[in-house]
Amino acid sequence: IYSHTQVLDDSVAFLVEPTPEAMAEGLAQAMGETGKDKASQAQRLYNEKYAKEIYLDKMARLVAHIEDNPRV
């Protein structure tokens, strides 16, 4: 799914084709050491870009920008 690759890549997720075989292979890979590494990298990505505090800060900056630059 294209939208998934706008946030996720192979360093933080097992991106597979939407078939039973590919899903099974992705799950098998996720159970190994590679899965642990990707999980750590995914947690780091979340903490840096997508955590609630990050989201709230972005929204506050957006609202401030809109308030400071009204369109008439």
Side-chain angles (χ1 to χ4, degrees), residues 1-8 15:
I1 301 172
Y2 174 72
S3 62
H4 287 55
T5 59
Q6 294 176 350
V7 174
L8 305 174
L15 302 173

Side-chain angles (χ1 to χ4, degrees), residues 3-58:
S3 62
H4 287 55
T5 59
Q6 294 176 350
V7 174
L8 305 174
D9 62 28
D10 287 333
S11 70
V12 296
F14 292 92
L15 302 173
V16 299
E17 293 297 318
T19 66
E21 297 81 13
M23 297 288 270
E25 178 61 29
L27 288 169
Q29 290 177 11
M31 298 301 290
E33 195 62 34
T34 303
K36 291 178 184 178
D37 293 339
K38 287 188 185 200
S40 294
Q41 291 181 42
Q43 184 68 54
R44 191 173 311 114
L45 175 66
Y46 169 79
N47 290 337
E48 292 173 1
K49 292 189 174 184
Y50 304 107
K52 182 178 180 179
E53 296 79 18
I54 302 293
Y55 172 79
L56 292 175
D57 180 61
K58 287 180 182 179

